[in-house]
Amino acid sequence: RKEEELDSKDAIILHQFSRPRNGVPSLSPFCLKMETYLRMADLPYQNYFDGKLSPQGKMPWIEYNHKKVSGTEFIIDFLEEKLGVNLNKHLGPHERAVSRAVTKMVEEHLYWTLAYCQWVENLHETQKMVSLFGPFSDLLKWIFCHLTKGIVKREMYGHGIGRFSEEEMYTLMEKDMRTLAGLLGDKKYIMGSTVSTVDATVFGHLAQAMWTLPGTRPERLIKGELINLAMYCERIRRKFWPEWHHDDDNTLYESEESSEASKTYSPLRDFSFYSRTETFDEEGNSISQTPDTDYTGHSLFDSDVDMDERDHEQCK
């Protein structure tokens, strides 16, 4: 098939995997991280679901002014330099160091245990979510998922974490998730009341446990003992993904006032260019939206998922 010509002049072209069938933007925590970051930074971008890996064999990757950049860390550095965006400008040196340490824990450690759960233990459920079309789609999905399973197991073994037993791997996963829950506490975001780059990373990974691993230990943990992480995921989803609604949503994290209104929603759209300061109604017409309101029109501060610091003081 002849490749489509892309013009990335003054435009961010985000290459990533196709949307899965369960309403979640991506089964890849790194693709979800990158797209969430672009929304947090309010940078218009265009999705390109070609499935083509970067020259380094990475996904996601971007094109901007005909330059290709892969690896989410390098992409963010590149955008900061070229466009002057910086979600970490409010952080001091100590906070930046903590933020980087958390990022590496999530991407180099927690990631592998979640990948094991997604592509090895829970492969049957993951296969249902993969989006492939055509007369042989079921066969292609089976082949793709089992190839991915083999790749994940091989790379986990090379990493070292795959040499432990399943129970030992889940013990490590629970330690990482409890560390995140302890660091978050009752704060709005990981580093305080203002969103920063580490939130895109943490959300991209925790969203997999929250919405793509039904019945598994990570899901039971995040929706049970570590409920503050579930509230954190809901908070970010409602603020930066106004069109994302999950069929199995649990209204436990929402107020009674917003639970009825949340049943009406617009599905995930693949916008030509997206900016989080705008959203669209069901006919595709642009409607105004402030960053502190969700897709139902309710303030994010009306629900217990998004209490500000004054609310905490009053509770005390």
Side-chain angles (χ1 to χ4, degrees):
R1 185 180 63 181
K2 185 177 180 179
E3 291 188 7
E4 179 182 346
E5 291 293 329
L6 290 178
D7 184 6
S8 64
K9 186 178 185 307
D10 298 327
I12 300 171
I13 309 297
L14 176 61
H15 295 258
Q16 61 169 315
F17 297 115
S18 298
R19 302 284 196 213
R21 291 186 171 185
N22 65 334
V24 176
S26 181
L27 294 176
S28 163
F30 292 98
C31 289
L32 184 53
K33 166 194 174 178
M34 196 65 249
E35 192 168 0
T36 301
Y37 171 85
L38 292 172
R39 292 177 175 226
M40 288 178 171
D42 201 10
L43 294 175
Y45 63 94
Q46 182 178 1
N47 276 314
Y48 198 64
F49 302 106
D50 56 349
K52 182 180 178 181
L53 300 178
S54 73
Q56 294 82 10
K58 293 287 189 177
M59 188 74 89
W61 56 287
I62 69 163
E63 292 180 82
Y64 181 77
N65 283 340
H66 308 291
K67 181 174 178 59
K68 300 177 181 179
V69 186
S70 68
T72 56
E73 184 172 354
F74 292 114
I75 293 173
I76 291 172
D77 289 344
F78 173 81
L79 294 176
E80 287 182 352
E81 178 184 354
K82 294 296 182 181
L83 302 178
V85 297
N86 189 352
L87 294 182
N88 298 329
K89 60 185 177 182
H90 62 286
L91 301 180
H94 174 75
E95 292 172 313
R96 289 172 184 260
V98 171
S99 178
R100 178 164 177 79
V102 171
T103 297
K104 293 301 109 181
M105 179 191 75
V106 170
E107 293 185 344
E108 305 295 342
H109 202 257
L110 177 62
Y111 163 75
W112 291 109
T113 55
L114 292 176
Y116 174 84
C117 188
Q118 188 175 48
W119 293 103
V120 180
E121 184 195 16
N122 208 43
L123 183 64
H124 180 69
E125 291 296 324
T126 302
Q127 184 174 325
K128 297 177 184 177
M129 303 176 195
V130 172
S131 180
L132 287 175
F133 302 96
F136 304 106
S137 60
D138 289 340
L139 175 62
L140 290 174
K141 284 198 294 184
W142 187 92
I143 294 173
F144 168 77
C145 289
H146 281 77
L147 284 174
T148 303
K149 174 183 177 179
I151 292 171
V152 168
K153 291 181 70 174
R154 184 185 70 229
E155 293 191 354
M156 288 183 68
Y157 190 85
H159 176 278
I161 198 169
R163 304 179 187 225
F164 298 110
S165 69
E166 181 177 293
E167 185 61 33
E168 289 172 327
M169 283 191 287
Y170 278 126
T171 297
L172 297 175
M173 178 207 69
E174 291 181 6
K175 286 183 177 181
D176 289 343
M177 291 181 68
R178 288 195 175 94
T179 297
L180 290 173
L183 180 62
L184 176 64
D186 60 359
K187 298 194 301 293
K188 191 174 176 182
Y189 299 112
I190 294 295
M191 301 309 298
S193 60
T194 305
V195 71
S196 57
T197 302
V198 70
D199 291 298
T201 302
V202 174
F203 175 74
H205 288 73
L206 291 184
Q208 307 304 319
M210 185 82 174
W211 290 295
T212 73
L213 299 173
T216 61
R217 289 173 66 172
E219 186 200 50
R220 292 195 298 271
L221 189 61
I222 196 173
K223 293 183 178 179
E225 180 184 346
L226 307 181
I227 196 69
N228 67 327
L229 294 182
M231 295 165 65
Y232 167 81
C233 287
E234 280 289 346
R235 182 178 303 124
I236 291 179
R237 183 183 74 160
R238 290 173 59 194
K239 184 167 185 176
F240 298 104
W241 290 90
E243 78 281 20
W244 172 7
H245 184 97
H246 195 261
D247 291 338
D248 299 325
D249 274 345
N250 190 331
T251 56
L252 173 65
Y253 318 111
E254 300 182 11
S255 64
E256 292 182 5
E257 180 183 5
S258 64
S259 61
E260 287 298 320
S262 65
K263 294 178 182 178
T264 301
Y265 63 94
S266 298
L268 262 182
R269 301 175 187 267
D270 298 331
F271 300 118
S272 177
F273 282 95
Y274 180 87
S275 174
R276 75 173 176 88
T277 52
E278 287 188 347
T279 188
F280 296 79
D281 60 21
E282 294 183 355
E283 287 71 38
N285 300 315
S286 178
I287 57 176
S288 62
Q289 173 176 320
T290 64
D292 289 328
T293 59
D294 66 10
Y295 56 81
T296 68
H298 290 93
S299 169
L300 292 174
F301 299 99
D302 290 342
S303 169
D304 61 348
V305 303
D306 213 355
M307 297 173 64
D308 62 17
E309 295 177 359
R310 290 174 298 178
D311 293 328
H312 289 300
E313 292 298 325
Q314 290 173 359
C315 290
K316 292 178 181 177

